[in-house]
Amino acid sequence: MKDTDFSKIFESFGQPIYRLCVSRTGDTELSHDITQQVFLILYKKQPDFPDAIALRVWLIRCALKLIANERRRAENVSTEPLDEKDGGETMQSAEFELYDLCLSLGDTLSDVTVLYYVEDMSVEEIARALSISKSAVKSRLHRARKSL
């Protein structure tokens, strides 16, 4: 994979993967780290994909696995939060509200909601990315709408 190809992939999919991570973790710094890990794995493995949809699905699955790993790791580590200083990126309050609402839905509903409404993925693409049926995606979207 050429560096220019990798740059194009990152430009196309970097923000969507980051937004997915934020929607699942609620932590912008951790989301940056996970997004970087996803693209580092892509760069190191350099898998072949038949099309952009297959690449997108692979990136989403990779991000979800890394998020799950991070949650398991965090459950095993006791930490005390440091006083947060204003520095780093801040999201707009509307974005925080959206992500807070998505986090309140739980993982199964949050995933499909973010992928459908934020990332503009089709029901078929979401089903493929999450390894569930199209009817399950539609059902989860319906339950998420009712919850919101």
Side-chain angles (χ1 to χ4, degrees), residues 5 37 52 56 70 75 80 105 109 129 145:
D5 294 339
Q37 288 176 357
R56 186 177 196 178
E70 182 59 33
E75 289 172 359
E80 291 184 31
L105 292 173
L109 299 180
R145 286 184 204 113

Side-chain angles (χ1 to χ4, degrees), residues 63-83:
L64 292 174
K65 286 178 185 177
L66 289 171
I67 291 166
N69 290 345
E70 182 59 33
R71 284 187 178 163
R72 279 191 295 275
R73 189 194 66 72
E75 289 172 359
N76 295 326
V77 176
S78 175
T79 60
E80 291 184 31
L82 299 173
D83 291 336

Side-chain angles (χ1 to χ4, degrees), residues 10-20 32 35 39 119:
F10 187 79
E11 286 175 19
S12 297
F13 298 106
Q15 281 300 313
I17 295 300
Y18 171 73
R19 287 191 298 261
L20 172 66
H32 277 292
T35 302
F39 285 95
E119 301 306 327

